[in-house]
Amino acid sequence: MSHPLLNIHQISIGFQTDNGFRETLQQVDFQLYKNEILGIVGESGSGKSLTSLAVLGLLPSSAKITEGEILYNGEDLSTLSTKQLRKIRGKEISMIFQEPMSSLNPSMKCGPQVTEILLEHTALSKKEAKAETLRLFEKVKLPRPESIYDVYPHQIS
Ligand SMILES: Nc1ncnc2c1ncn2[C@@H]1O[C@H](COP(=O)(O)OP(=O)(O)O)[C@@H](O)[C@H]1O
Ligand SMILES: [Mg+2]
């Protein structure tokens, strides 16, 4: 096989706490190749979320990667600017957060929250992006896509 698409190479992550710096994750190491699906299983608190957040550059400000590197397509993600990372985030690497009620923006209707991502990452017009959003809602079998498009998150279960 060629080189991995995503190479989590021996990363350690720690937190600044009131009692000083504490290393939380030690030398996490795995590789993901194109078209591979990898499930990471572990008890609560074992570091699944931290590892994923590190890949996206979304660790809390008190956290720090103390060693290792995260290579995407051979490129060290930690060396990318926020702007470069934004091009990848939400398009090539995405996170589906737990707790959908707190992941959606409560002050924005449901449809436009998806359309926004498409406008950011594709050449679609506003009208096309809305059509694509409705198509995606249908694809994942949301009932009445048009009405879900136009409601706020708290209005649906
Ligand atoms: N903001 C934080 N400050 C200090 N420690 C944290 C913070 N967030 C997570 N941790 C610690 O990091 C470890 C891994 O957490 P996490 O990645 O959320 O686990 P998982 O997703 O596998 O349940 C846990 O021991 C947790 O206590
Ligand atoms: Mg978690």
Side-chain angles (χ1 to χ4, degrees):
M1 252 193 266
S2 54
H3 50 235
L5 185 61
L6 184 66
N7 187 359
I8 308 295
H9 184 65
Q10 301 275 339
I11 59 165
S12 299
I13 300 174
F15 282 95
Q16 193 59 48
T17 73
D18 293 343
N19 304 317
F21 191 81
R22 284 194 43 191
E23 196 153 83
T24 307
L25 282 189
Q26 287 172 337
Q27 299 178 337
V28 177
D29 190 276
F30 62 87
Q31 287 72 40
L32 195 54
Y33 291 84
K34 196 174 177 191
N35 292 326
E36 254 186 351
I37 294 173
L38 175 72
I40 300 176
V41 180
E43 63 186 299
S44 187
S46 61
K48 307 179 294 294
S49 293
L50 274 187
T51 304
S52 314
L53 290 170
V55 172
L56 288 164
L58 294 175
L59 284 174
S61 55
S62 56
K64 198 171 177 301
I65 299 178
T66 52
E67 63 173 326
E69 48 190 11
I70 300 172
L71 302 173
Y72 176 64
N73 267 327
E75 198 168 25
D76 187 343
L77 286 181
S78 69
T79 64
L80 299 186
S81 66
T82 307
K83 200 176 161 197
Q84 290 170 313
L85 204 52
R86 275 205 188 130
K87 280 199 178 145
I88 294 176
R89 223 191 263 149
K91 186 176 189 207
E92 298 179 38
I93 306 178
S94 301
M95 183 141 173
I96 300 168
F97 289 93
Q98 286 167 305
E99 304 295 345
M101 286 327 282
S102 57
S103 305
L104 291 170
N105 181 342
S107 67
M108 219 176 140
K109 288 177 175 176
C110 295
Q113 301 198 37
V114 176
T115 305
E116 182 179 58
I117 311 283
L118 294 171
L119 290 174
E120 179 75 26
H121 289 298
T122 69
L124 296 180
S125 69
K126 268 190 168 172
K127 207 175 154 192
E128 291 165 336
K130 179 173 180 177
E132 176 65 4
T133 300
L134 291 172
R135 196 188 66 77
L136 291 169
F137 281 4
E138 227 174 286
K139 193 175 174 193
V140 297
K141 304 210 185 319
L142 288 179
R144 296 169 286 103
E146 280 87 2
S147 53
I148 288 191
Y149 191 96
D150 270 321
V151 298
Y152 290 95
H154 75 267
Q155 295 175 287
I156 52 175
S157 66

